Amino acid sequence: QDYDAYDYLIGMDTANIRNMERMTGHKGGKIHLLLEFDGSYDSVADPWYTDRFDVTYRDVVRGCRAFLQYLEEKGEIQCPKQ
């Protein structure tokens, strides 16, 4: 149902993407890896395995900033100027 209800389904790693594709029956389309918006197909570092919360935080911030910029460039949102 989420695939039909939302414009973007964003996963943190390739396992998330595979699970979303399996559950929705769709490949690609609305399903994205977070860091893809920053031009990378890397997974967000998982602190459960790395114990590096600082690296995970950096990855998430980088991905979210890039996603916001992507949305702004597409005219889907307007970000306030800083």
Side-chain angles (χ1 to χ4, degrees):
Q1 293 172 329
D2 286 346
Y3 194 88
D4 295 327
Y6 299 102
D7 295 330
Y8 298 93
L9 300 174
I10 299 174
M12 298 296 123
D13 61 31
T14 54
N16 294 156
I17 299 301
R18 280 192 310 273
N19 287 333
M20 285 190 276
E21 290 173 345
R22 181 182 48 78
M23 287 187 281
T24 65
H26 294 275
K27 280 192 171 274
K30 298 178 179 184
I31 299 172
H32 301 273
L33 194 61
L34 179 63
L35 292 179
E36 164 186 335
F37 295 101
D38 194 43
S40 169
Y41 286 91
D42 293 333
S43 294
V44 170
D46 188 337
W48 177 264
Y49 300 104
T50 65
D51 203 32
R52 294 290 311 269
F53 289 86
D54 59 321
V55 174
T56 302
Y57 179 83
R58 182 200 66 212
D59 287 350
V60 170
V61 169
R62 189 176 104 210
C64 287
R65 284 184 176 152
F67 181 51
L68 287 172
Q69 182 178 348
Y70 170 84
L71 293 174
E72 188 174 34
E73 288 171 0
K74 286 188 68 180
E76 295 184 19
I77 62 167
Q78 287 186 335
C79 293
K81 299 299 177 201
Q82 297 182 14

